[in-house]
Amino acid sequence: MRREQQLRCRLRYAALSGLLIATALQPERAVGQDLRIEHVTVVSPERRGELPDTNVTVREGRVVAVVAAAKDASAQQVGVPKLEGRGLYLVPGLIDSHVHLSAIPGMTGEQERAHPDLAQAARDQIPRSYLYFGFTTLIDLISTPEEMARWKSRHPVPDTYFCGGAPLIDGYPMNYSPKPQRYAGMPYMIVEPQSGVPLPPGVDAAAHSPQTVVARMKSDGAICVKTFFERGFGGVHDLPVPKPETIRSLVQAAHAAGLPVLLHANSAEAQTFGLDTGVDILAHGLWNADETAAPGELTPAVRSILDRIVTAQVGWQPTLQVLHGLEDLFNPGFLSDPLLARVLPRSLIDWYGTSEGHWFRDVVAADIPGPDPGASLRRGLSAEIGRAAAATGYLAQHGARLLFGTDTPSAPTYANPPGLNAWLEIHRLIDAGVTPAQIFEAATLRNAHAFKLDHEIGTVEVGKRADLLLVRADPRQTVQAYAEIVTVILGGRALDRDSLAANR
Ligand SMILES: [Zn+2]
């Protein structure tokens, strides 16, 4: 029991991400980039086979020709940059459909103001770190046009889109922010009619109906709606949750506006609620379910939820690394991992090592009794990790619509670093039984389709934006391909992978 409570304490902080980070745009337009990639093997998720020895031409940031090199009669254009593709694979750029970009991982706003040099170095590097690991498109699930404009002021920056976050007023994750600031921080919160709860001053119920909230998001440029079903954890179990009819109205308004709806849901009750209300995507794995089951056991009750997910073809983001990232807060070797130095400035890594930089780990540790909070946490999380992996493996085996999303960062933690967290998530998926080909599809065409971006990205095809990767291995065969990226192509602009690393 106590273990379960400890567990929930940890997970409470995963909630914070929504808020501290809650404060996401339209993709940066290609600036007329031309490029030719010659004699490359094209691997794209809409094709069964590969296209060997192919020339790909990019004009003004878009793919204009994909032609067998032997049949390529196009005149050699003078001055167009060329990439030699012999021995390499050309694949679509990856899409992470669950990130939070407004805060620097592990830093509060106050700390950022106290350390402006650290913060600037971090903010300059973070977009490059996503690109370094092949992510040319990001979707921030809780953002605003202002936050997105700030994020997009860096160059280069992945193409980035955002959802509006629509929590129920005072529900998760708004509850973690003090009143009255929480109301200003969540412009798309929902107020249910006749709830009987008095409204805070300045909040007009009519401006927070599902219909008005969706209309405002849409005009602000959001491409999706994120809502929440979470009763709380860590001693909190009574947060208000939306009524089914509220979320049905939200889904109806969103669909009329052409926006998919995501639901934060990681319990059996929440995922069932999502299935019952017709949301499009469940934004977490299923780790809070059947707590009496043996580790990794899928009980009939859980199986029946998973079968519904398969049948309804609801999008499903496993986000397995969320749980492992909590453990990594207590991993003494984490900050000295050489991969971390590829994605974050040395100055920031050093700061994480200070007592001030450890603040979030200390908050988590304070809630865990006993002499070794890290060990207690690992014991507490093992059942949830086992359940999350087993559910993911089952869905992968049964043809569910898996979508690649990391929830980076899932809390104000340094242990979900930009880009690297996705590389770690890929390994968690492999360990859970997802195949490299499924991961490739989930991170490209499936994500593009789920967010209605498939006319723009997700495949190597004529007419699409030239967001591409040149890699040394076939990603359908091995995820090692993502460790062996040679060149990241963003809107036709070729970026040498090493040039994107931190601490070069
Ligand atoms: Zn999230």
Side-chain angles (χ1 to χ4, degrees):
M1 191 61 200
R2 200 174 67 177
R3 184 180 296 174
E4 201 56 46
Q5 275 171 351
Q6 288 165 4
L7 208 309
R8 284 162 191 289
C9 281
R10 304 313 92 259
L11 293 178
R12 168 147 59 97
Y13 301 104
L16 291 174
S17 64
L19 204 37
L20 294 183
I21 300 176
T23 48
L25 32 149
Q26 302 303 356
E28 184 189 15
R29 288 292 136 216
V31 215
Q33 292 288 338
D34 294 357
L35 183 69
R36 265 174 78 81
I37 305 128
E38 299 183 336
H39 304 289
V40 76
T41 300
V42 172
V43 170
S44 189
E46 83 287 9
R47 297 175 187 277
R48 259 181 182 282
E50 62 212 37
L51 297 176
D53 196 19
T54 297
N55 290 354
V56 174
T57 306
V58 173
R59 201 164 295 144
E60 297 189 353
R62 286 190 183 268
V63 175
V64 295
V66 178
V67 186
K71 293 186 183 160
D72 188 2
S74 70
Q76 294 294 325
Q77 293 163 284
V78 182
V80 173
K82 259 187 242 175
L83 291 174
E84 173 56 49
R86 264 178 244 267
L88 300 176
Y89 296 85
L90 186 70
V91 305
L94 305 178
I95 304 164
D96 187 337
S97 63
H98 189 157
V99 296
H100 300 286
L101 302 170
S102 64
I104 298 167
M107 255 193 162
T108 64
E110 201 172 303
Q111 290 171 330
E112 181 168 348
R113 286 188 289 280
H115 302 284
D117 295 350
L118 273 183
Q120 171 148 0
R123 287 195 177 271
D124 288 345
Q125 176 58 40
I126 288 172
R128 308 173 78 90
S129 302
Y130 282 103
L131 293 167
Y132 181 82
F133 275 98
F135 288 85
T136 52
T137 301
L138 301 175
I139 302 172
D140 186 323
L141 293 193
I142 309 173
S143 195
T144 60
E146 295 73 28
E147 288 294 338
M148 284 283 95
R150 182 184 189 195
W151 165 258
K152 290 193 181 184
S153 66
R154 260 77 189 180
H155 296 279
V157 65
D159 296 344
T160 310
Y161 300 84
F162 78 102
C163 300
L168 180 64
I169 187 168
D170 293 328
Y172 173 94
M174 292 183 70
N175 59 296
Y176 292 109
S177 183
K179 293 176 183 177
Q181 295 94 304
R182 65 169 69 160
Y183 304 114
M186 279 283 171
Y188 313 117
M189 67 183 178
I190 290 180
V191 173
E192 291 181 328
Q194 287 108 35
S195 66
V197 181
L199 288 179
V203 174
D204 171 13
H208 293 279
S209 71
Q211 294 76 11
T212 50
V213 159
V214 166
R216 197 153 64 242
M217 274 182 207
K218 172 91 175 175
S219 78
D220 285 350
I223 65 159
C224 40
V225 178
K226 166 92 178 281
T227 190
F228 306 84
F229 188 100
E230 177 64 66
R231 294 189 188 276
F233 25 79
V236 178
H237 299 281
D238 53 357
L239 294 177
V241 293
K243 298 185 175 101
E245 53 267 34
T246 302
I247 300 307
R248 285 197 191 100
S249 298
L250 185 70
V251 168
Q252 194 179 30
H255 287 180
L259 309 180
V261 178
L262 293 93
L263 181 73
H264 161 99
N266 56 44
S267 67
E269 182 193 18
Q271 297 216 343
T272 301
F273 178 88
L275 289 162
D276 289 345
T277 52
V279 304
D280 303 284
I281 299 168
L282 297 170
H284 285 292
L286 182 52
W287 53 72
N288 289 313
D290 267 359
E291 283 156 15
T292 54
E297 182 198 357
L298 293 176
T299 60
V302 167
R303 236 174 248 255
S304 79
I305 295 170
L306 298 177
D307 289 339
R308 283 185 69 190
I309 287 165
V310 173
T311 306
Q313 287 290 291
V314 169
W316 207 77
Q317 299 175 330
T319 67
L320 300 174
Q321 187 59 22
V322 167
L323 303 173
H324 295 278
L326 280 165
E327 294 183 333
D328 279 338
L329 275 172
F330 296 89
N331 171 358
F334 185 81
L335 292 178
S336 46
D337 183 338
L339 283 177
L340 192 62
R342 302 302 280 172
V343 298
L344 290 173
R346 173 54 56 197
S347 56
L348 183 65
I349 298 172
D350 290 345
W351 179 79
Y352 288 152
T354 66
S355 57
E356 190 189 3
H358 270 136
W359 72 274
F360 181 67
R361 189 197 67 182
D362 294 344
V363 166
V364 173
D367 272 357
I368 306 176
D372 186 347
S376 304
L377 177 69
R378 274 192 299 281
R379 277 196 303 276
L381 280 175
S382 64
E384 305 210 358
I385 285 175
R387 265 195 298 274
T392 301
Y394 182 89
L395 289 178
Q397 252 176 31
H398 290 82
R401 192 155 72 100
L402 296 183
L403 303 177
F404 187 87
T406 56
D407 196 9
T408 303
S410 63
T413 173
Y414 59 68
N416 285 163
L420 174 56
N421 202 45
W423 173 238
L424 300 173
E425 176 76 14
I426 286 168
H427 289 279
R428 302 301 177 193
L429 294 170
I430 291 287
D431 292 346
V434 186
T435 67
Q438 287 174 316
I439 292 171
F440 178 58
E441 206 181 327
T444 57
L445 187 53
R446 284 216 171 148
N447 258 344
H449 188 257
F451 288 86
K452 305 191 179 193
L453 297 171
D454 48 318
H455 60 290
E456 279 286 289
I457 51 171
T459 60
V460 185
E461 278 183 288
V462 171
K464 290 202 181 176
R465 187 164 155 80
D467 285 353
L468 308 164
L469 306 176
L470 264 179
V471 298
R472 291 191 197 283
D474 182 343
R476 297 170 307 177
Q477 308 296 328
T478 172
V479 296
Q480 195 59 24
Y482 310 119
E484 300 190 18
I485 296 168
V486 178
T487 308
V488 176
I489 301 165
L490 181 66
R493 180 174 169 203
L495 303 162
D496 179 66
R497 189 192 195 202
D498 288 332
S499 76
L500 297 164
N503 311 301
R504 295 186 297 284

